[in-house]
Amino acid sequence: MANTKKDIPSWYRLRRYVHFDEPLSIKKAEALVTDPNAVVRHSFWPLVRFGIETVKIRQEKGSGTISTKKKLREISYAAHSDSQIFSYYCQLLSAIYEEKIAERGLGDSVLAFRSCGKNNIHFAKQAFDTIRAMGECTAIAFDVRKFFDTLSHRLLKMRWKELLGGAELPPDHYAVFKAVTKFSIVDRDKAFAALDVSVHNPRCGGRRRLCTPSEYRDLIRGANLIETNSTGIGIPQGTAISALLSNLYMLEFDSAALKFVHCYGGTYMRYCDDMLFLMPLGMKEEAEAFVQKEIEKLKVEINIEKTDACDFMFKNGEQMSDRPLQYLGFMYDGQRVVIRSAAFAKFSNRMKRGVSLAKQTMRSKNKLRKRFGVPERKLYLKKLLTRYSHLGKRNFLRYGHNAANLMGSSAIRKQLRPLWSRLCREIKR
């Protein structure tokens, strides 16, 4: 009998990618994750990691010019059994963490990785509304350098124990802690080559796992393809529990920051490693000194290059800023909210590549049709319109329209208007 949605635990996710083990049914996953002894005995598999080269577009401070920089983004994914364990223990810890958040009044300060039914549009609006209400104020934004890569294992374990209220971690929790701190990594391309698996079609032939246990021992572990994190710092991004642990790591900092801003009638907000302090006018130095002092206790560093500050004041009865505040992809100057120009540049580049690829595919297939005497076809537009126009349900334009509606921003709507004509020009070119 098939499981209904009511029967599926909230922590359970069926992931269909190919890994060193097979996907687990709900029954098998439940038997594993709900048995602490089974979790202790469980042998966690290495994460599979691969890199994607992305083009990072940013707007230079002061000049406003757009610059591009290639960046290698590393993506890691856990084995199926490991993912179910991470997801289950994330749920266990989240319930206790949310109680701590409520006790300390941090519900409106800690924004990311929580089930509150909101997204970055809501959080940016919350910040801008607060600035409007404060009138004259200083906004200071901080960013932690290489956040997930530099978290101290010692401090993370301490926070984990404090959350559970014990002198030591229970054996099952300790097993999960070790899995996300002393984690192992296998390069995807090297592993796939060793196992003769296609990177482009790893599920070819109905493959459900990358290899047998004996092949893993001989061709992966035996070939020294496994790298283990023995640095004492860093947790992998992308596991089901990593985001929660990053919030847990920052709990004491968040509490101290909230007390600090309350002393001066200010506001503190944190979205992952992006921190925003809204303070009375002229308190930039005090906020910077506080953050520097407290962040050192966490054994991480502030990215000075990304620290930004701007003053909001009244001129001729209207709120104005000496420079626009950039926060969560939006910009606010005291009068209007817009989406960062870099986001439009990134979208336009992606749209042009998408249209170009669709045209290449059309030409390639039309050559075959012509060879076999089949009528040629015009450019297939459905996917292009879904991805790059207002007709799609989940794309950049839909996101922009949602932001414009939620924030009541005619400026964002004005930014979005040219995108349809740009798409049409690319298709006709």
Side-chain angles (χ1 to χ4, degrees):
M1 183 177 178
N3 293 97
T4 65
K5 287 187 177 180
K6 291 183 180 179
D7 297 328
I8 301 175
S10 57
W11 51 265
Y12 179 80
R13 297 286 185 278
L14 180 60
R15 300 167 175 87
R16 299 188 183 279
Y17 52 70
V18 179
H19 214 289
F20 292 120
D21 63 347
E22 293 187 14
L24 269 65
S25 66
I26 296 176
K27 185 177 181 180
K28 288 184 177 180
E30 212 157 19
L32 170 63
V33 304
T34 59
D35 182 353
N37 291 326
V39 173
V40 172
R41 295 192 303 268
H42 180 72
S43 296
F44 288 85
W45 296 94
L47 301 165
V48 173
R49 174 174 291 177
F50 65 97
I52 295 180
E53 190 177 77
T54 59
V55 178
K56 190 169 185 180
I57 301 174
R58 59 176 296 178
Q59 190 173 29
E60 301 296 337
K61 295 179 182 179
S63 65
T65 57
I66 302 295
S67 64
T68 60
K69 181 182 179 181
K70 289 186 177 181
K71 182 179 180 181
L72 185 66
R73 181 186 174 205
E74 290 186 329
I75 298 175
S76 304
Y77 53 103
H80 298 284
S81 54
D82 301 351
S83 291
Q84 303 298 355
I85 292 174
F86 292 147
S87 184
Y88 179 76
Y89 278 80
C90 176
Q91 186 179 81
L92 294 181
L93 296 176
S94 290
I96 309 172
Y97 174 75
E98 287 297 327
E99 292 177 2
K100 298 291 183 183
I101 288 290
E103 289 172 5
R104 303 187 186 201
L106 289 166
D108 291 330
S109 294
V110 181
L111 308 178
F113 313 133
R114 298 176 59 219
S115 300
C116 52
K118 296 181 180 181
N119 57 33
N120 68 306
I121 301 174
H122 297 89
F123 301 138
K125 182 179 186 298
Q126 178 182 329
F128 302 150
D129 287 347
T130 302
I131 292 173
R132 291 190 188 99
M134 292 180 70
E136 295 196 330
C137 61
T138 296
I140 314 102
F142 302 91
D143 178 87
V144 180
R145 187 190 300 275
K146 296 182 178 180
F147 184 46
F148 283 87
D149 294 336
T150 57
L151 300 186
S152 164
H153 296 170
R154 182 183 64 82
L155 290 179
L156 178 60
K157 185 179 180 182
M158 184 187 304
R159 295 288 172 262
W160 201 324
K161 289 191 293 185
E162 291 170 352
L163 187 71
L164 297 179
E168 293 295 336
L169 290 178
D172 56 324
H173 282 262
Y174 183 61
V176 179
F177 167 77
K178 285 194 300 180
V180 293
T181 52
K182 295 182 179 179
F183 57 91
S184 297
I185 292 287
V186 170
D187 180 83
R188 182 197 64 179
D189 294 349
K190 292 180 181 179
F192 281 27
L195 298 169
D196 195 23
V197 174
S198 169
V199 172
H200 305 291
N201 189 16
R203 297 175 66 183
C204 179
R207 181 183 286 106
R208 290 177 55 82
R209 64 188 299 173
L210 286 175
C211 59
T212 64
S214 61
E215 289 173 331
Y216 172 79
R217 287 192 297 270
D218 296 338
L219 302 176
I220 302 297
R221 192 169 64 191
N224 296 319
L225 297 183
I226 302 173
E227 299 178 21
T228 302
N229 179 39
S230 56
T231 62
I233 61 172
I235 62 174
Q237 293 189 57
T239 76
I241 200 172
S242 296
L244 169 68
L245 295 182
S246 71
N247 273 344
L248 176 59
Y249 191 88
M250 296 291 290
L251 182 58
E252 294 305 319
F253 179 93
D254 293 335
S255 297
L258 189 63
K259 291 178 182 177
F260 171 74
V261 298
H262 278 181
C263 289
Y264 302 97
T267 296
Y268 164 69
M269 303 170 69
R270 181 178 63 81
Y271 190 93
C272 189
D273 56 348
D274 291 324
M275 297 173 284
L276 181 65
F277 287 75
L278 304 178
M279 305 294 293
L281 201 62
M283 287 202 65
K284 176 176 178 289
E285 287 75 16
E286 288 89 340
E288 288 180 339
F290 165 81
V291 170
Q292 194 59 47
K293 176 185 175 183
E294 293 297 321
I295 211 73
E296 287 178 358
K297 298 177 183 178
L298 299 180
K299 309 298 182 184
V300 294
E301 296 180 2
I302 293 295
N303 189 342
I304 303 299
E305 295 178 358
K306 291 188 178 181
T307 298
D308 197 15
C310 51
D311 293 333
F312 290 85
M313 296 168 284
F314 283 105
K315 293 181 180 179
N316 300 322
E318 293 185 337
Q319 190 184 50
M320 306 289 288
S321 64
D322 59 344
R323 57 186 298 172
L325 171 66
Q326 296 189 32
Y327 187 60
L328 300 183
F330 296 90
M331 299 178 69
Y332 177 62
D333 63 2
Q335 289 295 301
R336 62 178 197 150
V337 178
V338 296
I339 298 174
R340 291 177 60 222
S341 300
F344 286 90
K346 184 176 181 180
F347 170 78
S348 294
N349 289 339
R350 191 166 64 245
M351 179 264 290
K352 289 177 182 178
R353 289 196 301 269
V355 173
S356 176
L357 179 60
K359 288 181 177 180
Q360 291 175 36
T361 303
M362 176 194 68
R363 287 191 290 266
S364 176
K365 290 189 175 181
N366 279 341
K367 284 183 180 179
L368 290 175
R369 293 188 181 102
K370 189 175 181 180
R371 183 184 303 170
F372 292 104
V374 179
E376 295 183 12
R377 291 185 181 179
K378 294 182 179 180
L379 184 65
Y380 188 60
L381 295 176
K382 184 176 180 180
K383 185 176 288 186
L384 292 176
L385 295 178
T386 299
R387 289 183 177 179
Y388 307 116
S389 82
H390 59 283
L391 300 175
K393 294 182 179 180
R394 293 176 62 87
N395 60 26
F396 177 73
L397 270 85
R398 183 58 56 191
Y399 167 82
H401 285 297
N402 289 341
N405 293 334
L406 184 62
M407 295 188 178
S409 173
S410 59
I412 293 179
R413 293 189 184 95
K414 187 176 180 181
Q415 286 181 294
L416 295 170
R417 284 188 197 120
L419 297 183
W420 171 253
S421 58
R422 289 180 195 173
L423 175 61
C424 292
R425 281 198 304 270
E426 287 299 317
I427 290 174
K428 292 178 180 178
R429 183 176 296 176

